[in-house]
Amino acid sequence: MTTNRMFRSLLILCVALTMTASALTAGNVALITKTIQDVSRQSGENTPWLKAAKGASLLSGDRVQTGRRSLAVVKFLDNSIVRVRELSQLTLVTEKAGTGILRTVSIKQGGYGFEVTKQQNDQFRLTSPTSVASIRGTRGTFAGGNGNDTLIVTEGLVNLRNSASGKEVDVAAGEIGFSNDDGTVTSRKATAQELADANRTANGGTDNELKLELRDGQGNKKDLKLRFKQ
């Protein structure tokens, strides 16, 4: 590595660390990285709902709400992502937990897709008045808030616990879990359609694969696979 390239790399690293430190100092816990149609945010229960714009910072305790045919993408400082679906409302809370940080996304109504980065000392939870889902690093969807929660896991493993009964179940990749206000919590294998819908919500699009057959000047065949989202 040349001296100039090394200097540029160190400069980029310093800028990134400075930006992260500034965000933490300001109390920011996440950013709204995308909005479609009607998206609003609220800072505290007794404050007005304001229109949310792309790039808006979120503090611990802030709420995000989407209207009909609307979408919001929230990105945490650890790069975990929550894609808020239409007609949903959730609260973001970040707090110290031992030597790490506990990030909690509490849903009041609606649903969202999630991509949680692998957690070391930190913890990531999805909650509702009915359930608590503990995540170590995984992908899927969570919906409910009205006494009947549904969790679909497309990658990784999530522990789903019912708040009323304390009963819990581990929901693995390819499975769907249910937690209800009567205290029951169950899981089963998800259908192909349920998994496809969950992947689309969690990833922000539909995974597609395009296969091309190429030939060189000598006529040798080579297959090329391109993955893209739609």
Side-chain angles (χ1 to χ4, degrees), residues 118-193:
K118 188 174 182 180
Q119 306 292 299
Q120 297 298 331
N121 295 326
D122 297 345
Q123 302 175 56
F124 204 107
R125 294 190 312 190
L126 313 177
T127 71
S128 76
T130 307
S131 315
V132 176
S134 300
I135 299 176
R136 299 300 298 178
T138 190
R139 180 184 300 159
T141 62
F142 188 64
N146 57 358
N148 302 101
D149 297 340
T150 303
L151 169 73
I152 302 178
V153 179
T154 61
E155 182 180 303
L157 181 71
V158 178
N159 178 265
L160 180 63
R161 179 171 58 85
N162 186 279
S163 299
S165 64
K167 295 179 179 179
E168 58 186 48
V169 64
D170 286 334
V171 184
E175 295 182 344
I176 180 171
F178 305 94
S179 179
N180 307 302
D181 55 8
D182 63 1
T184 59
V185 56
T186 59
S187 67
R188 63 166 170 79
K189 183 177 179 180
T191 67
Q193 186 60 56

Side-chain angles (χ1 to χ4, degrees), residues 6-226:
M6 183 180 295
F7 176 76
R8 285 198 299 269
S9 298
L10 290 173
L11 180 61
I12 292 172
L13 178 60
C14 289
V15 170
L17 291 173
T18 300
M19 292 176 65
T20 301
S22 297
L24 288 171
T25 301
N28 299 334
V29 300
L31 294 174
I32 297 178
T33 59
K34 183 176 182 179
T35 62
I36 296 178
Q37 300 283 24
D38 180 20
V39 179
S40 54
R41 58 177 294 235
Q42 182 188 46
S43 298
E45 292 186 28
N46 300 318
T47 61
W49 285 93
L50 302 175
K51 183 176 179 59
K54 178 181 177 181
S57 61
L58 297 170
L59 306 179
S60 181
D62 282 4
R63 294 175 172 84
V64 177
Q65 181 173 267
T66 55
R68 190 174 300 278
R69 296 183 179 179
S70 301
L71 170 76
V73 178
V74 176
K75 187 173 185 179
F76 287 83
L77 296 183
D78 71 338
N79 292 321
S80 293
I81 295 174
V82 171
R83 293 182 170 89
V84 190
R85 290 156 52 183
E86 67 171 343
L87 300 176
S88 301
Q89 185 186 131
L90 51 83
T91 304
L92 313 176
V93 176
T94 297
E95 55 193 329
K96 284 285 188 180
T99 58
I101 296 174
L102 170 61
R103 297 178 177 89
T104 302
V105 179
S106 299
I107 188 172
K108 182 178 181 181
Q109 63 186 32
Y112 50 86
F114 57 88
E115 289 184 87
V116 177
T117 59
K118 188 174 182 180
Q119 306 292 299
Q120 297 298 331
N121 295 326
D122 297 345
Q123 302 175 56
F124 204 107
R125 294 190 312 190
L126 313 177
T127 71
S128 76
T130 307
S131 315
V132 176
S134 300
I135 299 176
R136 299 300 298 178
T138 190
R139 180 184 300 159
T141 62
F142 188 64
N146 57 358
N148 302 101
D149 297 340
T150 303
L151 169 73
I152 302 178
V153 179
T154 61
E155 182 180 303
L157 181 71
V158 178
N159 178 265
L160 180 63
R161 179 171 58 85
N162 186 279
S163 299
S165 64
K167 295 179 179 179
E168 58 186 48
V169 64
D170 286 334
V171 184
E175 295 182 344
I176 180 171
F178 305 94
S179 179
N180 307 302
D181 55 8
D182 63 1
T184 59
V185 56
T186 59
S187 67
R188 63 166 170 79
K189 183 177 179 180
T191 67
Q193 186 60 56
E194 288 169 337
L195 286 176
D197 291 342
N199 266 313
R200 184 167 57 252
T201 301
N203 298 342
T206 303
D207 287 326
N208 294 274
E209 183 177 85
L210 178 63
K211 296 182 180 180
L212 301 176
E213 184 179 288
L214 305 177
R215 293 182 182 274
D216 60 21
Q218 287 72 44
N220 298 317
K221 185 176 70 173
K222 184 176 181 180
D223 292 330
L224 176 65
K225 296 181 180 180
L226 300 176

Side-chain angles (χ1 to χ4, degrees), residues 1-8:
M1 181 180 291
T2 65
T3 302
N4 287 338
R5 289 181 62 188
M6 183 180 295
F7 176 76
R8 285 198 299 269

